[in-house]
């Protein structure tokens, strides 16, 4: 997650207005959903990978590794769709294991392929958005789209607190490690439970202190902030000037 | 302009020991003040009362001689004049970006986005954050977080700045940087009140020191006089041990180390 966050701030499209990137991802996602053919999903996958690597300048190794991880996960998921299990022999080619017949028919294989390609294309579209758009830009866009402020404030705080609590978690784990808190299974279990409980208390205390600090800056329940300035594509600016 | 505390009492729900028990002190414009005293002497509570986050149980907090009003408008007026930076800057930053974090205060004051942006840029410039405005707050270093927390308060344009042990966790370079910002504020007529346990810093920086002890002001006056009085109360471990003329470093140490010339 920290890698994704780092790339979101350090890519060639980071300052591009989020509407273009959200639009691009949404179109790709829509294409995956409406075209029931594996070619659609695979085309979206190829397009999104190309955009992420060539346009955004993200490291190919990282982008491909991410897609490969998702592909492996999805392949396991669609296995259940591709293989049908029954107690009686079917016309489709299959193998018998004890009382069960495991068979693969062209229909189930096609459905699995469509599902796999669609899901992979959709995941690639989301990867493109997550890897090129900082959360703060997505929040700015949601604010501009008049999404309820409460939802946006919650998103902002959850995002901020995720990293703050990661930091606390690392320090607590280190403090247990230096006192041999993870020397065997039993102590590891105890340490993990203690860290979990302390992290909860730490989160509570932290939120209390943040509340005081926000009050000190005149906070009255709504987190009002200025939106960032974003870039627009050059071709669009040239077109507008004409 | 003055900010006064008159016989202020305050107790937290638990434990029942009062955090402030009749503290009276007045801060005037353009002063460099240090708040000193032991842990639990009431320094942080005084700062929370100054900003209206806490209300005195007894006594009064006054701004320009007028008792502070604790309704929404009164608190907003107070907070536009009195800013507080807390001990741990990490816990004061709420936003995903430095720019947006800094803009919270000015927008809460009801300023227009254009004026708020000017305030943000001015505060960021003052705290040397202009090149970090797009950076996520979780990616800042400790010193940068301290400056971001300070800039978030400065963007509100306070006339009184209370800093609760802000310099304690900073390295000497970052500390010097923060003290430069304080010097700028003082030159603009702002009052800076710094709570610290660093007596050397307090002696070199402040004109005036307020010594809090068990929730009361024990001494208030020129920094050197108050800090000298406080030093008399420090435990013996803080006294300088003089090395006698025949004192020698242990043999193992002297054998293994070369003499270092500075």
């Amino acid at each position: 997650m920290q890698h994704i966050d780092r790339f979101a701030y350090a890519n060639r499209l980071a300052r591009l207005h989020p509407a273009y990137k959200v639009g691009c991802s949404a179109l790709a996602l829509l294409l995956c959903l409406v075209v029931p053919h594996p070619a659609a999903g695979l085309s979206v996958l190829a397009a999104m990978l190309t955009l992420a690597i060539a346009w955004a300048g993200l490291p190919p190794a990282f982008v491909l590794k991410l897609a490969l991880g998702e592909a492996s996960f999805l392949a396991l998921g669609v296995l259940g769709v591709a293989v049908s299990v029954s107690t009686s022999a079917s016309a489709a080619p299959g193998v018998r294991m004890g009382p069960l017949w495991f068979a693969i028919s062209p229909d189930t294989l096609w459905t699995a392929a469509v599902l796999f390609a669609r899901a992979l294309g959709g995941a690639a579209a989301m990867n493109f958005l997550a890897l090129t758009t900082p959360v703060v830009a997505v929040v700015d866009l949601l604010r501009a789209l008049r999404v309820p402020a409460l939802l946006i404030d919650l998103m902002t705080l959850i995002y901020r607190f995720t990293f703050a609590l990661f930091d606390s978690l690392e320090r607590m784990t280190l403090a247990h490690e230096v006192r041999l808190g993870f020397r065997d299974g039993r102590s590891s279990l105890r340490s993990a439970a203690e860290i979990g409980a302390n992290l909860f208390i730490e989160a509570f205390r932290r939120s209390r202190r943040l509340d005081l600090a926000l009050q000190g800056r005149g906070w009255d329940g709504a987190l009002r902030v200025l939106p960032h300035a974003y870039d627009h594509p050059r071709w669009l600016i040239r077109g507008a000037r004409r | 302009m003055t900010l006064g505390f008159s016989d202020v009492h305050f107790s937290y729900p638990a434990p029942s020991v009062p955090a402030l028990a009749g503290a009276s002190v007045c801060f005037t414009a353009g002063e460099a003040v240090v708040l000193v005293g032991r842990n639990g002497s009431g320094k942080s509570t005084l700062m929370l009362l100054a900003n209206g986050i806490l209300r005195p149980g007894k006594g009064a907090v006054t701004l320009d001689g007028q008792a502070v009003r604790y309704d929404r408008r009164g608190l907003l007026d107070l907070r536009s004049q009195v800013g507080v930076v807390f001990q741990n800057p990490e816990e004061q930053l709420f936003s995903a970006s430095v720019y947006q974090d800094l803009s919270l205060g000015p927008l809460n004051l009801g300023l227009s986005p254009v004026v708020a942006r000017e305030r943000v840029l001015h505060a960021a410039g003052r705290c040397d954050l202009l090149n970090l405005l797009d950076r996520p707050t979780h990616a800042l270093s400790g010193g940068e977080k301290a400056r971001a927390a300070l800039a978030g308060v400065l963007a509100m344009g306070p006339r009184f700045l209370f800093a609760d042990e802000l310099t304690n966790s900073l390295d000497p370079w970052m500390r010097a940087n923060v003290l430069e910002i304080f010097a700028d504020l003082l030159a603009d007529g702002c009052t800076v009140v710094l709570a610290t346990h660093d007596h050397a810093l307090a002696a070199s920086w402040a004109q005036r020191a307020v010594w809090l002890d068990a929730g009361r002001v024990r001494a208030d006056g020129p920094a050197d006089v108050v800090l000298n009085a406080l030093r008399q109360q420090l435990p013996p471990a803080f006294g300088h041990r003089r090395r006698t003329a025949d004192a020698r470093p242990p043999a193992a140490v002297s054998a293994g180390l070369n003499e270092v010339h500075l």
Side-chain angles (χ1 to χ4, degrees):
Chain A
M1 198 185 90
Q2 282 166 325
H3 284 302
I4 294 175
D5 186 68
R6 205 174 306 136
F7 284 127
Y9 281 95
N11 69 85
R12 288 205 288 258
L13 304 181
R15 292 194 62 86
L16 183 70
H17 197 289
Y20 300 106
K21 292 175 277 184
V22 169
C24 190
S25 300
L27 267 176
L29 207 58
L30 197 69
L31 193 70
C32 290
L33 288 174
V34 297
V35 182
H37 197 282
L42 294 176
S43 306
V44 166
L45 172 70
M48 289 292 119
L49 290 180
T50 309
L51 287 179
I53 294 165
W55 193 23
L58 292 165
F62 181 78
V63 176
L64 293 173
K65 213 164 119 183
L66 195 65
L68 199 67
E70 287 161 353
S72 317
F73 179 75
L74 286 171
L76 284 174
V78 298
L79 212 61
V81 179
V83 181
S84 64
V85 184
S86 66
T87 49
S88 55
S90 65
V95 288
R96 187 178 169 182
M97 288 177 78
L100 299 175
W101 277 91
F102 292 86
I104 298 176
S105 70
D107 280 351
T108 57
L109 207 58
W110 178 255
T111 311
V114 170
L115 193 63
F116 177 76
R118 269 179 164 179
L120 199 57
M126 289 295 103
N127 285 351
F128 172 73
L129 184 65
L131 287 168
T132 58
T133 317
V135 168
V136 67
V138 177
V139 167
D140 276 348
L141 183 67
L142 293 177
R143 198 173 274 123
L145 293 172
R146 308 256 180 250
V147 170
L150 178 67
L151 211 63
I152 289 175
D153 291 352
L154 278 174
M155 267 183 76
T156 305
L157 291 176
I158 288 170
Y159 175 72
R160 172 81 186 97
F161 265 62
T162 304
F163 287 94
L165 289 179
F166 259 135
D167 203 37
S168 299
L169 180 66
E170 274 176 18
R171 277 187 283 112
M172 284 179 194
T173 308
L174 194 66
H176 273 75
E177 267 174 12
V178 297
R179 287 177 291 163
L180 304 177
F182 296 97
R183 69 183 183 282
D184 54 31
R186 194 187 164 99
S187 63
S188 298
L189 207 63
R190 194 189 307 122
S191 291
E194 280 172 5
I195 289 170
N198 280 335
L199 199 62
F200 179 73
I201 295 166
E202 169 72 8
F204 183 75
R205 282 189 186 144
R206 204 180 262 268
S207 66
R208 174 75 190 125
R209 289 189 290 255
L210 179 67
D211 176 52
L212 290 182
L214 288 175
Q215 278 188 53
R217 290 202 275 160
W219 175 62
D220 60 359
L223 293 171
R224 280 179 281 267
V225 292
L226 288 173
H228 280 272
Y230 296 102
D231 297 339
H232 292 272
R234 270 178 241 153
W235 57 265
L236 195 72
I237 295 169
R238 277 199 297 268
R241 278 184 191 149
R242 277 176 207 157
Chain B
M1 180 164 262
T2 59
L3 178 70
F5 295 80
S6 171
D7 190 30
V8 170
H9 290 69
F10 183 84
S11 295
Y12 290 99
S16 55
V17 179
L20 286 179
S24 295
V25 62
C26 185
F27 301 105
T28 53
E31 284 185 307
V33 187
V34 281
L35 273 182
V36 288
R38 298 183 64 173
N39 289 333
S41 59
K43 300 188 294 294
S44 298
T45 306
L46 191 83
M47 294 192 168
L48 293 173
L49 283 157
N51 187 259
I53 293 172
L54 299 178
R55 297 178 191 199
K58 200 179 136 195
V61 180
T62 58
L63 187 64
D64 273 342
Q66 301 288 314
V68 167
R69 286 179 296 113
Y70 291 93
D71 54 57
R72 191 174 174 277
R73 190 68 249 171
L75 283 173
L76 217 52
D77 286 344
L78 177 69
R79 286 165 185 168
S80 68
Q81 303 290 333
V82 182
V84 181
V85 189
F86 296 98
Q87 199 167 353
N88 188 350
E90 162 82 16
E91 291 162 357
Q92 294 162 69
L93 305 171
F94 75 94
S95 180
S97 85
V98 175
Y99 177 72
Q100 294 198 333
D101 204 284
L102 265 54
S103 68
L104 176 85
L107 289 175
N108 282 340
L109 290 179
L111 300 175
S112 71
V114 175
V115 178
R117 186 179 147 76
E118 279 171 14
R119 289 266 191 111
V120 167
L121 295 179
H122 184 251
R126 195 162 225 175
C127 297
D128 198 16
L129 289 168
L130 284 172
N131 57 341
L132 300 175
L133 284 175
D134 289 338
R135 189 80 70 86
T137 48
H138 59 261
L140 299 178
S141 70
E144 288 165 348
K145 278 178 186 161
R147 282 187 284 144
L150 182 58
V153 174
L154 294 185
M156 297 178 76
R159 305 306 301 158
F160 294 89
L161 176 74
F162 285 77
D164 193 357
E165 300 185 26
L166 180 69
T167 54
N168 281 18
S169 58
L170 302 179
D171 65 36
W173 293 271
M174 204 55 82
R175 187 179 300 188
N177 194 246
V178 169
L179 293 180
E180 272 175 31
I181 298 167
F182 286 173
D184 276 355
L185 293 171
L186 290 165
D188 287 353
C190 181
T191 301
V192 181
V193 183
L194 174 68
T196 183
H197 292 294
D198 184 342
H199 294 168
L201 170 79
S204 64
W205 175 76
Q207 302 152 352
R208 177 184 164 197
V210 177
W211 176 8
L212 281 174
D213 187 24
R216 291 168 195 269
V217 176
R218 181 153 169 184
D220 180 359
D224 52 345
V225 177
V226 174
L227 291 167
N228 269 332
L230 176 61
R231 267 186 216 114
Q232 308 302 317
Q233 303 290 318
L234 293 178
F238 273 76
H240 294 289
R241 283 187 193 160
R242 287 177 188 281
R243 277 179 63 178
T244 52
D246 60 343
R248 297 272 187 277
V253 173
S254 58
L257 294 177
N258 293 322
E259 196 175 348
V260 177
H261 297 281
L262 295 173

